[in-house]
Amino acid sequence: MSRSLSSSQPINVLSSPAHRLAMATLLLSCPLAAQAQDANAQESDTVVVTATAMKVAAPPMETPRSVSEVGRDELDKRAVNSYDETFRYRSGVQSAPYGTDNGVDWFNIRGFSGEDSTYQDGLRLFREGGYFWWVTEPFGLERVDLLKGPASILYGEAPPGGVVNAVSKRPTEEKQGQFEIQGGNKDHRQVGIDTSGPVAGTDDMRYRMVGLFREGDGALDHTDNQRVYLAPSLAVDLSDDTSVTFMASYMKDHGTPSKGFRPVDGSLEGTEFGRIDRETNLGEPDYERQEREQISLGYELEHKIDDTWEFQQNLRYNSMDLTLRSLSPDTMLNTDGRTVGRYLTYRDGSYDAFTVDNRLVGKWFTANTENTLLLGVDYQNFDVDYQNGDGTGDFSGFDVFDPEYGNYSPGNLRYHAEEKKAQIGVYIQDQLRVGDRWILLGGVRHDSASVESYSEDPSANDYDETENQLSFSGGVMYLGDYGLSPYLSYSESFSPQVGRGPEGQAYEPSEGEQWETGIKYTPDWLDGYMTAAVFDLKETNTLYTNDQFIQSQGGERHSQGFELEGVGYLTEQLQLTAAYTYLDTTIEDPERGEFRAGLTPRHQASLWLDYGFEDGALNGLDVGAGARYVGESVNADPNRDDEVSSYTVYDAMASYDITPDWTAKVNVTNLTDKDYISGCDSWCYYGESRSVIGSLKYRW
């Protein structure tokens, strides 16, 4: 497969900037020519599904890009309480590659880190300053969309793997609500409420109030976390043509971090003393802290100018305060084979972020065409200010097989640091439907992005750079008979890199480009879909680490793969969700040549079956079971060649409708409590242990 991808003609034919510009010009010129035609034609009755892939409402099955969606029903059915559990049963995503972490959500998408891939309601959620990462609460979401591959044409700065967009719960026309309580092992306790409907005495205002309290132990001994979450929203119809939805959220986490860093020897590899227990805490529970407070305020505005044009604006302000004290062990045990040194990560600070996206959408119709033009300008600004105490204190000589806590000297905050980012982008995208058969898509975007970094640390280099970037995208899709729709697409991305190389030179932005071809299948005999995609994804100007752990630029990360995904009802009662991913990801740097990327399995597969009983004594019972397979991977440490074994984990669910309003449910994750290593990246990480959650829900 990799040979056919690398030698395929489209990848070579359009590899230069001039050829990419020619493709974008060609795809844009066809739709623009249709604008002069009949503007009075009736709008099609296409079912609108999501706007994540194109920033205009369009069905994913009629989009020449790979898109996955997980809705509220599935999030509830699988009792998703951690954001990185969302795509466990979708292709192209490696969920929680670093094991369980009660402070941060982790995704790898198509062989690339997804740490800068998170968005909510189309606006970026910043994860900067090393540890100042915005955390998303799944209970406040209506669904989560995943656009796979480079997406800078619409979102500006973005990693090559893709974009994860969380869609918030919004006010509803009908009065509705739910109250849920949960309890489980690991002292899990949760109470959630979600109520929505028209504001009393009005017909042009709607509200929604989402609230949650959750507490429970972490994956490691002596760790825990408490969370309070509130998300009010209000929708107002200012006129027949104008509406605005105000959205806010507040979240506070309070606890002890549970980060499962493990030396390779003692976890992946055994020692003469055995292996480190999965639950053993290698930190200092009485000293480590994790305090995070997040506030979000924003709105979404829609104004219909006339029968052709509509103006849309999304705006949000985010603020975070964070105090983090967390210990991680050295990657190697000491010469005695049982003790290890530990490193302190200590940050105390806050950030402010402002994002706004302005869009002008125009639609034209003729008897044979439908044209959608998107013009946009977006802006984002981020500023984090913190005190840094990394590496201070004395936490040496810790016995990983017989831990004794309290023998340490605490660290202290020493240096002030500040990081800033600002980006303004202008973009144009056009989609043309011809004769209910062809979809042509093209876009171009220009960004100006500045990055600043300052620190009192004498070993740090100040950084202040501005980069300008031009990004292209294009695609073509044929809506064939029997629900079969083949497509071809091209897309680009860029990611500014903070810092300087070993000779003091500023890093250039990393750039990604992807060719993808696939087919989407929506048969009339199945309430669901099936998709298949083959892609060739490459990032240049990649940062790489040599065997002395010095980071330089000039590498290349190359990911070629194949994905299968299907979701649908085989019968009225039996639903199937299945996914398979093949991924060949390599890194090439000037010092070591080409080698396999660490932490990235070549094969992943998942299957979930759900059956709802409708007759007899079992009426109201819903049972489900799933299996997740992750193939072998290798250690990303340049000095090691460890292989991490494959593993398979099983999940199960059963729910029962006691009455039309009351439902009882139990979910079990890692049913057999399998003990396994999820991956190694200099350190190794244990996967999630068995989790059992029981819930009782009341709806009105």
Side-chain angles (χ1 to χ4, degrees), residues 626-645:
R628 295 177 280 124
Y629 169 81
V630 178
E632 56 86 21
S633 61
V634 297
N635 194 336
D637 190 325
N639 296 305
R640 302 188 65 109
D641 57 359
D642 307 294
E643 182 175 297
V644 181
S645 299

Side-chain angles (χ1 to χ4, degrees), residues 424-685:
I424 185 168
V426 180
Y427 57 91
I428 177 173
Q429 175 185 272
D430 211 306
Q431 179 188 14
L432 175 67
R433 295 171 60 97
V434 181
D436 292 328
R437 287 294 188 181
W438 290 96
I439 295 177
L440 302 176
L441 178 68
V444 62
R445 177 188 177 107
H446 180 270
D447 282 287
S448 178
S450 64
V451 180
E452 301 176 48
S453 178
Y454 308 100
S455 176
E456 295 176 348
D457 187 343
S459 64
N461 291 317
D462 291 344
Y463 184 88
D464 186 354
E465 297 290 334
T466 299
E467 300 287 348
N468 294 294
Q469 192 77 22
L470 197 63
S471 305
F472 299 92
S473 71
V476 58
M477 189 176 206
Y478 180 74
L479 305 178
D481 295 327
Y482 311 109
L484 290 167
S485 302
Y487 69 91
L488 172 69
S489 67
Y490 173 82
S491 56
E492 296 181 344
S493 67
F494 77 98
S495 299
Q497 302 293 340
V498 178
R500 298 183 181 273
E503 297 180 2
Q505 74 278 18
Y507 291 136
E508 298 180 8
S510 298
E511 299 180 357
E513 64 174 8
Q514 173 185 271
W515 280 98
E516 175 179 315
T517 184
I519 189 166
K520 300 186 179 185
Y521 184 35
T522 53
D524 55 11
W525 52 267
L526 178 70
D527 181 11
Y529 71 87
M530 289 176 276
T531 63
V534 179
F535 60 89
D536 187 283
L537 175 57
K538 183 181 297 184
E539 181 189 62
T540 55
N541 287 333
T542 300
L543 299 182
Y544 67 91
T545 304
N546 64 17
D547 55 6
Q548 301 299 313
F549 294 97
I550 297 175
Q551 197 168 57
S552 300
Q553 189 172 42
E556 179 178 289
R557 190 177 183 99
H558 193 190
S559 187
Q560 297 175 317
F562 171 66
E563 295 170 353
L564 286 172
E565 184 174 304
V567 179
Y569 281 90
L570 303 180
T571 70
E572 291 185 357
Q573 297 163 278
L574 180 62
Q575 184 184 29
L576 169 72
T577 302
Y580 169 75
T581 304
Y582 170 79
L583 202 57
D584 182 14
T585 305
T586 59
I587 299 174
E588 184 173 353
D589 70 51
E591 298 186 27
R592 289 190 289 164
E594 187 176 32
F595 55 94
R596 182 181 174 187
L599 206 70
T600 306
R602 283 201 172 98
H603 301 276
Q604 286 192 109
S606 62
L607 175 68
W608 178 275
L609 285 169
D610 187 274
Y611 188 85
F613 293 88
E614 296 181 352
D615 300 311
L618 298 180
N619 182 37
L621 177 64
D622 188 2
V623 294
R628 295 177 280 124
Y629 169 81
V630 178
E632 56 86 21
S633 61
V634 297
N635 194 336
D637 190 325
N639 296 305
R640 302 188 65 109
D641 57 359
D642 307 294
E643 182 175 297
V644 181
S645 299
S646 62
Y647 60 88
T648 302
V649 178
Y650 302 96
D651 307 319
M653 179 278 300
S655 70
Y656 182 68
D657 293 333
I658 304 170
T659 71
D661 299 326
W662 289 92
T663 299
K665 183 163 62 77
V666 62
N667 290 84
V668 184
T669 302
N670 191 359
L671 184 65
T672 62
D673 200 22
K674 184 178 181 62
D675 196 336
Y676 63 94
I677 299 292
S678 62
C680 293
D681 183 12
S682 296
W683 293 274
C684 290
Y685 311 91

Side-chain angles (χ1 to χ4, degrees), residues 365-385:
F365 304 91
T366 72
N368 196 43
T369 64
E370 176 184 337
N371 184 63
T372 303
L373 176 66
L374 171 66
L375 305 172
V377 178
D378 60 23
Y379 173 76
Q380 51 184 267
N381 186 284
F382 170 85
D383 188 348
V384 59
D385 190 293

Side-chain angles (χ1 to χ4, degrees), residues 150-433:
S152 285
I153 176 62
L154 295 178
Y155 294 97
E157 175 189 349
V163 165
V164 180
N165 183 37
V167 179
S168 302
K169 290 179 176 178
R170 287 166 167 76
T172 60
E173 297 280 355
E174 301 294 330
K175 185 177 181 180
Q176 64 179 45
Q178 72 172 40
F179 174 78
E180 181 183 32
I181 58 173
Q182 291 185 359
N185 67 335
K186 306 176 187 177
D187 282 339
H188 173 81
R189 292 180 292 274
Q190 177 174 309
V191 178
I193 187 168
D194 178 4
T195 180
S196 179
V199 175
T202 69
D203 57 5
D204 57 1
M205 297 178 66
R206 300 164 299 281
Y207 77 94
R208 191 157 190 168
M209 183 64 200
V210 180
L212 173 137
F213 173 79
R214 177 191 302 130
E215 65 178 357
D217 294 340
L220 304 181
D221 293 335
H222 317 299
T223 63
D224 65 336
N225 192 66
Q226 289 184 351
R227 173 171 296 178
V228 175
Y229 174 79
L230 297 171
S233 57
L234 178 69
V236 182
D237 298 328
L238 302 178
S239 70
D240 292 341
D241 298 324
T242 306
S243 65
V244 61
T245 302
F246 300 96
M247 294 184 291
S249 69
Y250 171 83
M251 190 175 80
K252 183 175 179 63
D253 280 347
H254 166 81
T256 307
S258 180
K259 303 181 185 298
F261 293 86
R262 293 287 189 270
V264 176
D265 294 326
S267 57
L268 181 67
E269 303 292 340
T271 71
E272 61 178 307
F273 303 105
R275 281 184 165 86
I276 305 169
D277 288 342
R278 178 173 53 183
E279 293 79 17
T280 298
N281 189 340
L282 303 186
E284 290 291 339
D286 291 336
Y287 177 70
E288 295 176 285
R289 297 309 302 159
Q290 179 173 268
E291 310 283 346
R292 177 189 287 106
E293 189 172 30
Q294 299 179 171
I295 299 174
S296 172
L297 300 170
Y299 65 81
E300 294 182 348
L301 173 69
E302 294 184 352
H303 173 65
K304 185 178 180 181
I305 300 172
D306 53 33
D307 290 339
T308 301
W309 291 99
E310 181 178 0
F311 174 73
Q312 303 168 353
Q313 184 184 71
N314 290 19
L315 180 148
R316 186 171 63 225
Y317 166 78
N318 287 9
S319 175
M320 174 193 290
D321 290 320
L322 175 71
T323 299
L324 176 67
R325 292 196 302 265
S326 177
L327 289 171
S328 56
D330 293 341
T331 58
M332 299 178 61
L333 296 173
N334 294 329
T335 55
D336 60 12
R338 60 181 303 130
T339 63
V340 67
R342 296 171 296 172
Y343 181 87
L344 174 65
T345 297
Y346 191 2
R347 303 291 173 95
D348 189 354
S350 63
Y351 82 55
D352 297 286
F354 174 81
T355 53
V356 60
D357 185 19
N358 305 281
R359 303 180 300 279
L360 196 61
V361 181
K363 290 190 176 184
W364 294 264
F365 304 91
T366 72
N368 196 43
T369 64
E370 176 184 337
N371 184 63
T372 303
L373 176 66
L374 171 66
L375 305 172
V377 178
D378 60 23
Y379 173 76
Q380 51 184 267
N381 186 284
F382 170 85
D383 188 348
V384 59
D385 190 293
Y386 60 93
Q387 298 290 321
N388 187 331
D390 291 0
T392 60
D394 182 2
F395 301 90
S396 59
F398 185 79
D399 191 331
V400 299
F401 299 104
D402 186 17
E404 294 184 5
Y405 303 108
N407 299 316
Y408 66 89
S409 297
N412 61 286
L413 296 168
R414 293 190 298 175
Y415 304 120
H416 172 260
E418 185 175 10
E419 295 180 18
K420 298 180 179 181
K421 277 191 173 185
Q423 176 184 301
I424 185 168
V426 180
Y427 57 91
I428 177 173
Q429 175 185 272
D430 211 306
Q431 179 188 14
L432 175 67
R433 295 171 60 97

